[in-house]
Amino acid sequence: MKDLMIHVERIVRPVRARQSRKLRMRRELLAHLQAALEQERAHSADDASALEQARQRLGEPAELTRELQRSVPLIERVLLARTPENWNGWEKRAGKRLGWYEPATLAHWLVLCGTGAVAVMIICLFAPHIPPEARTRFFVDGIDHPAHARTVLAVVWVVQVFWFYIGMRFLTAAAAPAGVFRLPRVIRRGTLVVAAQGLLMVLIITQIVRRSPTVAEMARTLGISLLLLGVTMFVGRGVAALRRPYDEWLTLDLTQ
Amino acid sequence: MATITGDALRGHLETLVLSALRRGDAHGFEILRRLEEAGSGALKLKEGSLYPALYRLEAAGMVKGKWEDSATPRRGPRRRIYRLSQKGQRRFDEARREFQLFTTVIGGILGASA
């Protein structure tokens, strides 16, 4: 069974498609290979040659990968397009720590950069805790000192992107399969999430509202951060349960 | 016996799948068995090619797929059962007319009418 799964995974893993679509491909090809193997066993002298015959009936793996890729809708292919290797070092490293390699895609980058942009837009337009007079002051200052205003928004954007990225890493650690789950990693990433959220709050209050943050505000931010981490941890364990069918495929070692 | 292989079938595989499904709902392996049986051993498909064809047909609404009931008593992973939709049936009728016209015209030119 494992030999068949590895053969299927070699075909399906390079396909750029969402994981649920790939899981369906895997299951169908595995069911097919298994039926073909049973047929071949009836005609072959030994198991190894039956397995080889069953594999050959499926066709050349690289060609089948290309055909499967063409059956994926265009929008999905574009969003899941791989980004250059040197862009996704962080994702590759995260993947390796979890025991498998899942390259970063255009969708990852769009979400990551988009999240930072949303934070900047919220600050500029909707943040209810920034008094209107402070908003005005910030923009008036921005007109007088545009370089300063641009720098503040850029730093907010960077911190927000980092916060989201490390938050996702925290979720990934929380959702790791049982054998890979490590509490120290969860605690380390959780600490970074809290630090990033605190930094964001300090940055907004000191640079946009233009005053020092109060102890109550710091405590509230810490409380909200811990609450968010708790919810994320809970969601992560739920994700881990949902992801179990994928893990048996994604953890297969294709180098053997 | 001379065989018809992958390249010659290119462009016809989807119609062949629709044709196999006219005989009733089936999973991929059964569709293949029906095609081979109907081709009297002269059809040699790369079996994996069937699935991209099925995915395209499903995306176009010509077939509908659903996973086999988990209570079905058999070993191994669950299979996906495909059913021909009305749109698929219409497309099959259309493709058959086009193919008949093609064989009549080209066969006439080649002096090899069926």
Side-chain angles (χ1 to χ4, degrees), chain A residues 24 28, chain B residues 13-28 31 34 50-67 80-92:
Chain A
R24 170 190 165 177
E28 283 203 278
Chain B
L13 183 57
E14 288 167 22
T15 312
L16 291 174
V17 171
L18 293 178
S19 167
L21 286 174
R22 288 173 72 232
R23 288 171 55 187
D25 303 355
H27 51 79
I31 292 172
R34 286 180 190 175
L50 177 70
Y51 294 94
L54 279 167
Y55 301 153
R56 283 192 295 271
L57 286 169
E58 194 173 8
M62 292 185 210
V63 301
K64 288 183 181 4
K66 69 169 190 181
W67 290 104
R80 198 164 165 85
I81 310 290
Y82 292 93
R83 162 175 293 184
L84 187 64
S85 69
Q86 283 189 347
K87 189 178 175 188
Q89 178 63 56
R90 282 197 299 275
R91 175 64 201 134
F92 173 74

Side-chain angles (χ1 to χ4, degrees), chain A residues 1 23-25 27-32 34-36 38-39 41 57-60 63-64 67-68 70-71, chain B residues 10 28-29 32-33 45-52 54-56 58 67 74-80 82:
Chain A
M1 178 80 157
L23 184 61
R24 170 190 165 177
M25 291 174 180
R27 284 176 170 167
E28 283 203 278
L29 289 177
L30 180 64
H32 188 101
Q34 202 157 41
E38 274 166 32
Q39 259 185 4
R41 272 185 181 140
R57 279 173 55 172
L58 209 57
E60 211 270 308
E63 193 185 327
L64 187 49
E67 283 187 47
L68 287 169
R70 282 197 290 269
S71 73
Chain B
R10 208 176 291 276
F29 202 76
L32 206 78
R33 198 196 59 74
L45 284 167
K46 282 174 192 157
E47 300 183 4
S49 319
L50 177 70
Y51 294 94
L54 279 167
Y55 301 153
R56 283 192 295 271
E58 194 173 8
W67 290 104
R74 61 177 286 278
R75 280 169 53 218
R78 281 193 303 158
R79 299 172 298 194
R80 198 164 165 85
Y82 292 93

Side-chain angles (χ1 to χ4, degrees), chain A residues 93-115:
Chain A
R93 286 193 296 278
K96 276 187 177 164
R97 282 192 197 116
L98 276 179
W100 70 80
Y101 171 54
E102 186 71 18
T105 64
L106 186 59
H108 283 114
W109 283 95
L110 286 177
V111 169
L112 198 57
C113 298
T115 311

